Amino acid sequence: MGWLSMSSSKHSRGFKGVLQEVLSYKSAVLGVLILVFLIVLSIYTIVTIPLPEAINAWRSSEMWTKNPRNAQPEWIEVFIGKRLPRTITVSLANAEVSRRLLGDGRIAASWVAYFNYDYDDFPSELIVFFNSSYSEKPVVDIYWLRPDGEEFLVKKHTLRRPDDRLYLSNDLGLELRLSGLFESKVGGKPNFMVTVEKGLFAEYSLDPRVLKGRYGIRFETILNENDVFDAELVVYGSVYGLAGTDHLRRPLIIGLLWGTPIAMSFGLTTAILTTVLNLIIGTVSGWYLGKVDTVIQRIVEINAILPFLPILILLTTFYKIDLVVILVSVIVLNIFSLGIKGTRILVMQIKSYPYIEAAQAYGASNGRLILFYVIPKILPPVVPGMISAVPGFVFLEAGLSYLGLGDPFLPTWGKIISDAQSNGAFYKGLYYWVLEPAFMLILTAIAFALIGMALEKIVNPKLKEL
Amino acid sequence: MSSDGKLLELEDLKKWFEIRRGFLSSKVYYVKAVDGVTFSLDEGKAVSLVGESGSGKTTLGKTIIRLYEPNGGRILFQGKDVTHIKANDLKWYRRMTGLVQQDPFGAFASHFTIFRSLEEPLLIHNAVESKEKRAERVFKVLEEVRLTPVEDFAYKYPHMLSGGQLQRVAIARAIILEPKLIIADEPVSMLDASVRIEILTLLRRLQERLRLSVIYITHDLATTRFFSEWALIMYAGHVMEKASTQEVLRNPLHPYTKALLTATPDPNPENRNRFKEVPPGEPPALVNPPICCRFSPRCPLAFDKCFKEEPPEFEATSGHWVKCWLYERS
């Protein structure tokens, strides 16, 4: 009853007035700022990465072959205090080429390409991408040129197809050879396991230290007259962009960015629609009473004990899961939520007020009474409730994605967490993978919670004393 | 049907409320709040409905303006039967009648300005075509109830006004559709003593000027003299006595009316220690009341017949009706 009378003075202010009062709370200012940031981010995302493009990018594995796998975000350096390697692509475009005509019309050719490596950590992976055309499968000798002037044959490779790929990191034979080389240079067993990356990039010492400087790679092969040879060495780093990458080398930033408009629209749509529908049903129930009320109340009670998740799982086995199906089912399952009972009681209370009787005496219809006399009275507590309900639905969407009940095409925060979980992110120490989407979720929740709480204080001044 | 000058005629009007009890609501009881009321009201006249709490006077008022649907009897308004009218007819009847409630603070939607509250009836009945004319009408009624300067009051919210001012607005709202009949349900009982007389004077003046018929519901006999031509004394859903106000006050016939007059505070300080003889007891419960005189359990003059049979209305003197066996003419 308290807010019913106290809220009366609020109606005179209108939207501008309410906004002004909301902003008189510092916490709400923070909430509004975060919200504005999220909205700007959403708009930026939608404009710069159109949805089909985003879906395509998120589902394509080819697009990201030159990204490092499970790379941490670049800003992680701040905490580690080391310069972590970025990905370096060494192409033959600027290579020193030398060709020698052999007697039988074939050409012996060699390319040397240099690159600087001055990071404090070893690269995560090395792959050579070939791109050539030939009449006869060429044999390619790959030499490694270290900054200390040493040079050795890395691999003798016969191209299997024109766009062959040579996964140097996975080459066990190479690893063994490098390990042997290392032992002979150092004169003992080093204190670390000599992987391909370390074998190629480490100083010759017992401890793993990166040898910084100018590296080179040389390709030597014998080609036929019309053969074309091109290759590219990708030295994968261990950090990538603002958000890092996942197990499929996809930049997480795409998922994080696109998660924002999806989460916001899902949360707001469900919160607004369910609140409005609950409000209408509760009002009808409390106003007309009788049979209508009985039926509505029984539906609410049955709905309250229905297991929400199993029903959703059931639905997703029958229908193609996409965001709209999830949205509709979440709304349908929330139409008859328990909130209706509260609304109904309020309406019953308001119905007994003299001003309703007075309005009936001058001929106001039921529709008019509900719309102009009852609903404006119960809106004040409903609006903050609606705002506060948004994070719940955002979490629900994330939770459903996590359970594999999300839209499989859309990149969402829940999906990223789900991927992280199923690929053992914590086990591998890839905390960023979980923390980034979690941070976005929390940010959204905080924004709506702060605004909702401020609105609640305005509507119910008693809370101000707390 | 229409008789000359009669605005409202009630014929044996009944309003019973249903109560369901027992397993699956198998037992039905009735609260006989209004049980057979007959009277008529001339155009431009005022009648007082007097009775204590629970006597059914408010229910009668609400039944007359069809906030309740009667269970029996008839209501004739300008000769038309309005007992069970619906939809458009009912809407017309709503326009012909007005209501002033007891509680001025609860009578207005707190989210409407005074202007909007007064505009609502006009909007609902589409009474005035244009926005300008609606505003004109609103300002005019505010002037009628002496809330001037009108601009100062029109755009205020109800909580910014005092009880007396709000009751003036309530009266303005009741007359804005130019009705023929106003039900004033204890319009001053919640107001400060200082403003009561102002409100009653205002209501009386408007009634005379606009030739309104007013049904003034009250528990306060003292104000009826000032206000109305006719008085009806109600007790437990029955009209016990009806006559001109002067007659009822000077020459009360029914034992209940006499008791009521005795209970009225006496302003003479010399009488402050005089013991007032008031019948003991409470009014009967209205759930299935006994079929006899309803005042009989408390009546100091009751005799055998009073406990057996319900008395009809006897015309004791010309125009003075009493529902009491004492006035039976054998």
Side-chain angles (χ1 to χ4, degrees), chain A residues 35 50 74 95 98 102 106-107 111 141 163-164 211 214 235 252 274 284 317 332-333 377 388 431 444 460 462:
Chain A
L35 188 66
E74 280 174 8
S98 71
L102 297 178
R106 293 193 297 169
I107 306 156
W111 294 262
D141 294 338
D163 57 346
D164 198 8
L211 179 66
R214 190 158 168 266
V235 182
L252 285 182
T274 54
V284 166
T317 52
V332 166
L333 287 171
K377 277 286 222 182
S388 307
Y431 300 107
T444 314
N460 189 355
K462 271 186 191 166

Side-chain angles (χ1 to χ4, degrees), chain B residues 252-255 258 314-316 322 324-329:
Chain B
L253 296 180
H254 198 285
K258 286 177 183 164
F314 299 108
E315 190 166 12
V322 194
C324 180
W325 286 120
L326 289 171
Y327 300 91
E328 184 185 21
R329 285 194 198 132

Side-chain angles (χ1 to χ4, degrees), chain A residues 177-289:
Chain A
R177 273 197 294 123
L178 286 170
S179 189
L181 182 72
F182 225 85
E183 275 174 43
S184 67
K185 289 274 184 192
V186 179
K189 221 172 161 48
N191 299 331
F192 59 97
M193 207 180 109
V194 182
T195 59
V196 173
E197 296 84 31
K198 284 176 184 151
L200 293 177
F201 283 92
E203 267 177 37
Y204 291 125
S205 69
L206 287 171
D207 296 314
R209 268 203 300 276
V210 178
L211 179 66
K212 294 180 188 173
R214 190 158 168 266
Y215 285 86
I217 186 165
R218 192 168 77 234
F219 298 92
E220 286 182 5
T221 184
I222 294 170
L223 299 171
N224 284 324
E225 212 167 332
N226 294 320
D227 290 358
V228 178
F229 178 85
D230 193 17
E232 198 175 47
L233 168 71
V234 179
V235 182
Y236 290 95
S238 63
V239 290
Y240 180 88
L242 253 173
T245 60
D246 65 4
H247 62 304
L248 298 175
R249 305 172 188 275
R250 296 178 298 202
L252 285 182
I253 193 82
I254 295 180
L256 291 175
L257 281 177
W258 257 101
T260 317
I262 290 170
M264 298 268 282
S265 53
F266 186 90
L268 277 171
T269 315
T270 43
I272 291 171
L273 279 179
T274 54
T275 309
V276 168
L277 289 171
N278 282 346
L279 182 70
I280 292 170
I281 293 168
T283 308
V284 166
S285 183
W287 182 264
Y288 289 102
L289 298 175

Side-chain angles (χ1 to χ4, degrees), chain A residues 399-455:
Chain A
L400 291 174
S401 295
Y402 177 78
L403 289 175
L405 300 175
D407 190 314
F409 294 97
L410 292 176
T412 65
W413 299 334
K415 193 90 81 34
I416 294 173
I417 295 177
S418 170
D419 284 346
Q421 156 82 6
S422 56
N423 289 288
F426 280 128
Y427 171 69
K428 293 177 187 160
L430 306 169
Y431 300 107
Y432 71 96
W433 203 352
V434 176
L435 292 181
E436 284 168 4
F439 173 76
M440 293 303 283
L441 281 167
I442 291 167
L443 205 61
T444 314
I446 286 176
F448 285 105
L450 287 176
I451 297 170
M453 270 151 60
L455 279 174

